[in-house]
Amino acid sequence: MTDSNYDEILQLLRDRLSSIASSEIVITPETNIISELSIDSIKLLNLIMEIEDTFDISIPINALADVQTVHDLASLISRIKSNH
Amino acid sequence: MNLLEKLDAAAAARKAMLPEGVGAFGIPIEEVYSATEARIGERRVILLGTNNYLGLTFAPECIQAAHDALDAEGTGTTGSRMANGSYYGHRALEREFAEFYGYCAGIVFTTGYQANLGTISGLVSRGDTVLIDSDSHASIYDGCILSGAEIIRFKHNDMIDMEKRLRRLGNRTENTLIIVEGIYSMLGDQAPLAEIVDLKNKYNCTLLLDEAHSIGVLGETGQGLVEKTGLQNEVDFITGTFSKSLCSIGGFCVSNHPQLDQLRYLSHPYIFTASPSPATIASTRAALVLLREGKALRRQLWKNCTQLYDHLKKAGYTLGPEPGPVIAAILDNPKQALQIWQSLLENNIYVNLILPPAAPDGKSLVRCSVNAAHSTEQISYVGETFAKLHRQILDADA
């Protein structure tokens, strides 16, 4: 995983999450996607499909079981993208 | 937050969505009068929120068969088939389902939910992939999660999107199970099965078709979408439920792959649960005969579906893309949906209320399930009431 890869993904996530979040809070890497942003499961799954298309990768839903924060999600995407 | 506090938070979220006293979910039905009428509170209502598509819940043949089985074999099997054995009826119904589809193998499950859970988790496991439509039923999602296979979604009924995701899987497609539904339960639209089969063959995948809402409804003899499209030889596994057109409870999987039988030894939702009761199996067997012979019922059902769909469309509602036994009015927000749902009930019409995230794309649904037993007068009354409420609630909001 390269830092630029991670940073690019983190920025993309911050932009996309802020546009679909119900609450208006500043999104940091530590922000909890479900409890702090009030994003329901379907919105999150739809966001994952968008990210798959952006980077032309496959992100299995199962991998989201370990994702709580924005950082967790950015790290997951970065890892899959690097292995692609 | 401890475990009970989490439940309190869930209750608070539900209350925020539904005001106190509005029991839209799990509404108490006090008495059932027929396939189309019941009593809710003090109201005699038209039932438009059940999945009784052929209207067979009071078919004398099914009731008599259930009575006879109760008398002959008792109320329950009291255990699993693996441990306690299979009754004659279980095996007969499996043969009858396989023969109905022209396949060599069939398995009966205790519920429709378990049919998907058990079939999917028996077919795929860690290291395999499932490719599912984004509007899939919860039983498909849960079966996939239970299996441990990697789950990839494609956009609802979007074949370009589906192929894009298949291409990304590379050589993993050989171990990929594609799962689609004959009729989708939220908007009532059908899967583009011919195109799905083309992609399945191009990428050498396996295909499972869930006919839960389409058995009894589509095809000359009511097999479902597979019969309507003539693609019986292309679909690897078909699952379905007894709880809609067959008017009981249970589920099935059929296949022309004899390996299906191995699911009896691999599938926890099949193994570790009590088998269906004799009365349930008997009424389902009788209903399957009526379903196969039910051309006139299907004709009436589709007449009713088209009548209501056209009525709602003309009234100005946004609907799913095609008529079918599931007709959903798509509303912009939960408040509108709740108002329409409540007003329908006050006008003695019972339908389903579906709120986000259960409804797709953040919308809310007022969902009608039409059946063959609804009279033209009932459908007209429902259509006129919907039109009146559009004028009173939605036009006023605009």
Side-chain angles (χ1 to χ4, degrees), chain B residues 80 108 120 127 130 147 151-152 215 220 297-299 323 365 372 383 393:
Chain B
S80 74
V108 160
I120 297 165
V130 280
S147 76
I151 308 161
I152 306 288
I215 184 172
E220 179 81 1
L297 290 174
R298 270 183 285 286
R299 257 198 311 276
L365 306 178
I393 297 171

Side-chain angles (χ1 to χ4, degrees), chain B residues 169-200:
Chain B
L169 290 173
N171 59 12
R172 290 158 60 199
T173 53
E174 203 169 295
N175 279 62
T176 294
L177 178 67
I178 298 169
I179 307 175
V180 296
E181 298 181 38
I183 290 179
Y184 285 88
S185 58
M186 288 293 122
L187 301 181
D189 48 347
Q190 299 169 26
L193 193 60
E195 294 169 69
I196 290 165
V197 162
D198 286 345
L199 288 175
K200 170 229 160 180

Side-chain angles (χ1 to χ4, degrees), chain B residues 142-362:
Chain B
D142 290 354
C144 293
I145 291 165
L146 181 65
S147 76
E150 292 200 339
I151 308 161
I152 306 288
R153 297 161 87 227
F154 62 91
K155 287 181 188 162
H156 175 56
N157 273 353
D158 184 334
M159 294 299 98
I160 293 171
D161 194 72
M162 183 180 171
E163 177 157 27
K164 188 166 59 184
R165 287 162 210 289
L166 278 168
R167 181 182 49 73
R168 282 184 196 138
L169 290 173
N171 59 12
R172 290 158 60 199
T173 53
E174 203 169 295
N175 279 62
T176 294
L177 178 67
I178 298 169
I179 307 175
V180 296
E181 298 181 38
I183 290 179
Y184 285 88
S185 58
M186 288 293 122
L187 301 181
D189 48 347
Q190 299 169 26
L193 193 60
E195 294 169 69
I196 290 165
V197 162
D198 286 345
L199 288 175
K200 170 229 160 180
N201 289 332
K202 181 175 174 183
Y203 288 90
N204 199 20
C205 306
T206 302
L207 176 60
L208 187 158
L209 172 65
D210 178 357
E211 298 269 26
H213 287 269
S214 36
I215 184 172
V217 170
L218 298 175
E220 179 81 1
T221 65
Q223 287 177 4
L225 185 62
V226 75
E227 186 180 25
K228 181 188 169 190
T229 53
L231 291 166
Q232 289 94 333
N233 292 333
E234 300 287 351
V235 175
D236 296 286
F237 297 91
I238 293 174
T239 55
T241 181
F242 305 162
S243 62
K244 295 180 170 57
S245 285
L246 291 161
C247 295
S248 64
I249 184 167
F252 69 91
C253 178
V254 291
S255 175
N256 222 12
H257 300 297
Q259 293 93 331
L260 175 68
D261 211 46
Q262 292 311 304
L263 261 59
R264 297 181 198 280
Y265 311 99
L266 296 170
S267 169
H268 283 201
Y270 172 84
I271 299 167
F272 296 103
T273 193
S275 57
S277 73
T280 296
I281 292 290
S283 77
T284 306
R285 292 182 67 197
L288 185 57
V289 173
L290 298 177
L291 182 151
R292 292 178 77 155
E293 296 168 349
K295 271 187 212 169
L297 290 174
R298 270 183 285 286
R299 257 198 311 276
Q300 185 60 45
L301 169 64
W302 279 98
K303 189 177 160 219
N304 290 349
C305 296
T306 308
Q307 188 191 348
L308 185 62
Y309 187 90
D310 290 348
H311 218 128
L312 267 55
K313 190 117 200 145
K314 200 172 153 203
Y317 285 93
T318 304
L319 305 174
E322 57 189 316
V326 176
I327 300 173
I330 304 168
L331 285 311
D332 284 337
N333 58 64
K335 185 175 159 251
Q336 283 181 338
L338 186 60
Q339 267 182 296
I340 299 268
W341 179 86
Q342 265 184 312
S343 302
L344 284 167
L345 195 56
E346 285 159 13
N347 282 275
N348 305 323
I349 298 166
Y350 172 64
V351 297
N352 302 137
L353 175 68
I354 320 268
L355 301 178
D361 300 326

Side-chain angles (χ1 to χ4, degrees), chain B residues 120-137:
Chain B
I120 297 165
S121 64
L123 285 176
V124 290
S125 57
R126 192 175 288 272
D128 301 323
T129 304
V130 280
L131 185 64
I132 63 174
D133 187 286
S134 59
D135 277 9
S136 291
H137 188 261

